[in-house]
C-alpha cells in the first residue's frame, strides 16, 4: 500500500496548529485529506488529545467507512468528510473547527455577509449557514454542500465551521479567514451597524478573482 506518512504528518500538524490557535478546544474538530486516485481518506481519530496525537494515530479509511489502517476509531464526523469527497471532485482537504467567533454566528442562525474584501479571494464570498444536521451523519455533508456551491466554507448550524480546499495549507488559511471575518463582524456590531461591500464592488472583485456568484 502507498505510504501515507506525509499525509498523516500534515494532518497531525494541522490539527495541532488548530488546537494551539484556538480554532478547536478539547478533542473537538477534525481534519482530513483524500487520495482520490486510491480512494483512501486519512482522518484524525476520535477523542484523542491533540497535544499527544502522533502521525501514526491518523486513521486511513475508505469513504464507505471501512478502516484500512488505524489503531483508533476514526473521527465521529467521518461521514461528513466522506460525503463531501464523494460529491465534490475538486476537494481533497477538509477542516472542521469550532472556532468561537464563527460558531457564535451559527448559534444565532446567521451566516456572515461579505464585510471584508479578503472574503472574495479566500472564501469565494460570504460565509453561508447550512441547515441543522445531526452529528455523525451524512446529512451534515449534504446540508453543507447545498450552501457551498460556489463557496469554500460554511457555518454548521449550532455546531461549528466547515472548510474545504485542495490542500490542508489552503483549507487552514481559509479556516483562519472564517474566524477573522466572524471576529470583525462581531466587533463592528459592538460599535455600530456593519456596512456590506456594494454590489458593483463585489462584481469587480468577482471578475478580478474569477469567481461565480
Ligand atoms: Zn464538531
Amino acid at each position: 500500500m502507498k505510504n501515507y506518512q506525509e499525509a498523516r504528518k500534515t494532518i497531525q500538524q494541522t490539527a495541532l496548529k488548530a488546537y494551539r490557535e484556538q480554532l478547536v478546544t478539547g478533542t473537538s474538530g477534525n481534519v482530513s485529506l483524500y487520495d482520490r486516485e486510491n480512494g483512501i481518506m486519512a482522518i484524525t481519530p476520535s477523542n484523542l488529545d491533540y497535544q499527544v496525537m502522533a502521525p501514526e494515530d491518523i486513521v486511513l479509511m475508505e469513504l464507505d467507512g471501512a478502516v484500512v489502517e488505524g489503531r483508533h476509531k476514526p473521527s465521529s464526523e467521518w461521514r461528513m468528510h466522506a460525503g463531501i469527497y464523494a460529491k465534490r471532485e475538486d476537494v481533497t482537504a477538509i477542516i472542521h473547527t469550532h472556532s468561537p467567533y464563527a460558531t457564535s454566528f451559527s448559534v444565532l442562525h446567521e451566516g456572515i455577509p461579505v464585510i471584508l474584501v479578503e472574503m472574495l479571494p479566500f472564501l469565494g464570498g460570504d460565509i453561508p449557514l447550512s441547515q441543522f444536521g445531526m452529528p455523525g451523519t451524512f446529512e451534515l455533508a449534504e446540508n453543507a454542500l447545498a450552501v457551498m456551491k460556489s463557496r469554500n466554507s460554511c457555518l454548521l448550524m449550532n455546531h461549528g465551521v466547515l472548510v474545504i480546499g485542495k490542500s490542508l495549507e489552503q483549507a487552514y488559511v481559509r479556516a483562519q479567514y472564517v474566524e477573522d471575518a466572524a471576529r470583525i463582524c462581531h466587533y463592528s456590531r459592538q460599535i455600530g451597524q456593519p456596512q456590506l461591500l456594494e454590489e458593483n464592488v463585489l462584481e469587480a472583485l468577482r471578475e478580478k478573482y474569477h469567481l461565480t456568484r
Side-chain angles (χ1 to χ4, degrees):
M1 194 173 82
K2 192 183 159 194
N3 184 353
Y4 286 93
Q5 190 54 28
E6 196 57 41
R8 290 173 189 267
K9 201 172 157 198
T10 308
I11 291 170
Q12 179 263 327
Q13 288 177 344
T14 302
L16 184 60
K17 193 156 71 161
Y19 177 79
R20 289 189 172 146
E21 294 184 0
Q22 295 177 359
L23 298 183
V24 299
T25 53
T27 62
S28 72
N30 25 77
V31 176
S32 74
L33 275 172
Y34 185 48
D35 172 12
R36 193 165 291 279
E37 205 178 313
N38 295 295
I40 298 290
M41 173 168 76
I43 189 165
T44 44
S46 180
N47 274 323
L48 190 68
D49 188 329
Y50 289 115
Q51 294 177 98
V52 302
M53 191 181 291
E56 294 70 34
D57 292 318
I58 304 304
V59 180
L60 303 182
M61 63 190 299
E62 292 172 1
L63 296 189
D64 63 1
V67 171
V68 175
E69 200 178 295
R71 56 191 184 197
H72 302 283
K73 283 205 291 188
S75 162
S76 60
E77 294 293 9
W78 70 265
R79 288 181 186 84
M80 177 169 71
H81 294 244
I84 289 171
Y85 291 133
K87 300 236 168 96
R88 283 281 299 265
E89 294 204 343
D90 58 319
V91 180
T92 44
I94 298 175
I95 302 178
H96 164 50
T97 76
H98 293 181
S99 63
Y101 283 94
T103 302
S104 68
F105 280 88
S106 87
V107 170
L108 295 174
H109 292 191
E110 286 184 32
I112 300 167
V114 187
I115 52 164
L116 299 169
V117 288
E118 287 89 349
M119 292 174 76
L120 273 294
F122 287 96
L123 304 174
D126 65 348
I127 305 166
L129 172 74
S130 76
Q131 285 303 301
F132 184 78
M134 288 298 282
T137 63
F138 283 115
E139 190 189 8
L140 276 175
E142 280 158 31
N143 293 349
L145 287 170
V147 296
M148 287 200 297
K149 289 192 171 73
S150 55
R151 298 289 182 275
N152 45 50
S153 76
C154 74
L155 304 181
L156 305 170
M157 190 179 275
N158 293 90
H159 185 163
V161 175
L162 184 72
V163 181
I164 57 179
K166 291 187 193 305
S167 69
L168 277 180
E169 292 75 15
Q170 184 186 53
Y172 192 81
V173 171
R174 289 172 174 175
Q176 289 175 310
Y177 269 98
V178 167
E179 185 63 355
D180 186 55
R183 189 187 295 116
I184 301 295
C185 196
H186 171 97
Y187 284 147
S188 62
R189 278 195 183 178
Q190 310 312 305
I191 53 175
Q193 185 59 39
Q195 303 296 310
L196 310 187
L197 289 178
E198 289 181 9
E199 191 50 45
N200 61 333
V201 176
L202 282 177
E203 204 44 63
L205 286 168
R206 278 189 210 109
E207 202 170 306
K208 179 177 164 70
Y209 297 113
H210 314 289
L211 299 167
T212 49
R213 191 175 274 270

